[in-house]
Amino acid sequence: MAYPDIRPRRLRRSAAMRRLVEETRVAPAELVLPLFVKEGLTDPRPISSLPGVVQHSRESLRKAAHEAVRAGVGGLMLFGVPTSEHKDETGSGGIDPDGILNVAIRDVIAEVGDSTVVMGDLCLDEFTSHGHCGVLAADGTVDNDATLALYARMGVAQAEAGAHVVGPSGMMDGQVGVIRRALDQAGHSDVAVLAYAAKYAGAFYGPFREAVESTLQGDRRTYQQSPGNIREALREVDLDVAEGADMVMVKPALPYLDVVAAVRERVDVPVAAYQVSGEYAMVEAAAANGWLDRQGVMLETLTSIKRAGAQIILTYWATEAAQLLRDRY
């Protein structure tokens, strides 16, 4: 049939019609809110490069968790920020039951219980004095297998604190399998593993490093992926699923939507994507200058990540976006 018989605009003529035929929708329950908790704080501390995001005190963390649950957010990913005196060469604060991350997990579980999914970031970088995601060998490189032994202990510590999900993000070879076995042997077979399966050594993490007070010396290119590689990402995903990952994640999200789509086609486990600090900060900075419609871009970026194939989206906008989405639909 030829013009004017075919008129696709009929399905765009009103807001009600557009809602009816919309192909991709983000649900609040698909959003996960990353939260930072700083040891020793009595009040939340703003993070200059992440407008609207703070380092929480234990008290403000509980309030933020409760607010997210009210908004319908599907999960919370917790990051602990220890004081400098509690950082060391091996990141022992991440394993200590009284370390800030494990204390925070217990606090949030006590506050919200099973009303949302409580996740712990399973990595040593916030806890090491050198800022790397594992322990260092004599030559200064990250010792993969020595790090795995600590990851196993860290996973069990988070499970014993009450975490529903652990999120190994260090990109060590074999990390998922080691953590899965340790959890099962310790009686935590019901704790899920969200594998940061394709985590790229990109340039979008700067604000996050302020948030966790990173002491990184050098870079992470020997263990995180090169931004140009997608076949390597699929290999990493295959390995993590074979080792027992319950969910897999691509990080960052927007610069790697093609990777998200390829992973979605590859696996039958839920796929997550992390809209990282640099993605968030760019939008916030542009909106503050009047260059973008902040809420419009927020929802558009989340929709694009969902459309690419992510079932779960980690985003610093999670609570606000959940509220907007509930009003929208």
Side-chain angles (χ1 to χ4, degrees), residues 226-305:
S226 169
N229 293 359
I230 187 169
R231 290 191 300 273
E232 181 184 37
L234 297 178
R235 185 184 186 205
E236 290 277 8
V237 167
D238 288 343
L239 289 168
D240 282 354
V241 172
E243 291 174 22
D246 299 285
M247 301 170 276
V248 295
M249 183 151 66
V250 176
K251 181 181 181 181
L254 289 176
Y256 299 94
L257 293 180
D258 60 325
V259 181
V260 174
V263 171
R264 174 67 285 164
E265 289 297 313
R266 186 83 163 198
V267 300
D268 57 6
V269 299
V271 175
Y274 196 143
Q275 187 179 50
V276 300
S277 60
E279 300 172 56
Y280 172 94
M282 289 191 303
V283 174
E284 290 290 343
N289 279 282
W291 299 336
L292 293 175
D293 170 0
R294 180 180 173 277
Q295 289 185 353
V297 173
M298 176 197 309
L299 296 179
E300 188 174 343
T301 59
L302 295 175
T303 300
S304 74
I305 297 167

Side-chain angles (χ1 to χ4, degrees), residues 3-241:
Y3 175 85
D5 300 298
I6 303 300
R7 293 185 179 268
R9 286 181 57 190
R10 294 186 186 114
L11 300 183
R12 304 172 200 151
R13 63 185 302 265
S14 68
M17 181 66 79
R18 292 191 295 273
R19 283 195 301 270
L20 180 67
V21 300
E22 191 168 37
E23 298 174 25
T24 302
R25 294 180 182 175
V26 180
E30 297 170 325
L31 302 178
V32 174
L33 176 65
L35 290 163
F36 305 102
V37 57
K38 168 69 175 177
E39 184 178 19
L41 286 187
T42 55
D43 295 297
R45 177 185 294 166
I47 300 166
S48 64
S49 56
L50 286 172
V53 181
V54 301
Q55 289 180 330
H56 283 285
S57 66
R58 290 177 61 185
E59 180 61 29
S60 70
L61 176 70
R62 289 190 287 264
K63 292 178 180 177
H66 192 66
E67 180 183 7
V69 168
R70 283 202 310 269
V73 168
L76 308 172
M77 176 63 81
L78 304 185
F79 296 86
V81 186
T83 57
S84 58
E85 58 266 29
H86 288 154
K87 294 186 178 186
D88 56 31
E89 289 293 306
T90 62
S92 61
I95 296 167
D96 184 353
D98 294 321
I100 184 58
L101 178 54
N102 294 320
V103 167
I105 291 170
R106 290 198 296 272
D107 284 346
V108 172
I109 289 291
E111 184 70 28
V112 301
D114 293 331
S115 298
T116 192
V117 179
V118 179
M119 307 177 178
D121 177 65
L122 202 168
C123 195
L124 295 175
D125 59 325
E126 293 100 278
F127 300 94
T128 54
S129 52
H130 46 73
H132 277 287
C133 296
V135 293
L136 301 184
D139 63 359
T141 61
V142 175
D143 186 325
N144 191 94
D145 294 0
T147 299
L148 293 183
L150 297 178
Y151 282 5
R153 294 173 61 193
M154 191 173 184
V156 172
Q158 291 185 9
E160 290 178 347
H164 304 120
V165 176
V166 296
S169 59
M171 290 295 288
M172 296 295 119
D173 295 341
Q175 63 184 14
V176 171
V178 165
I179 293 164
R180 180 72 272 159
R181 287 191 295 275
L183 290 170
D184 292 349
Q185 290 167 5
H188 298 294
S189 58
D190 56 341
V191 173
V193 176
L194 167 59
Y196 288 59
K199 184 177 180 180
Y200 284 88
F204 284 84
Y205 302 127
F208 177 90
R209 291 177 182 168
E210 179 192 351
V212 298
E213 300 178 10
S214 174
T215 54
L216 179 65
Q217 301 164 18
D219 59 50
R220 299 188 172 119
R221 294 178 184 176
T222 63
Y223 46 102
Q224 293 179 357
Q225 284 189 230
S226 169
N229 293 359
I230 187 169
R231 290 191 300 273
E232 181 184 37
L234 297 178
R235 185 184 186 205
E236 290 277 8
V237 167
D238 288 343
L239 289 168
D240 282 354
V241 172

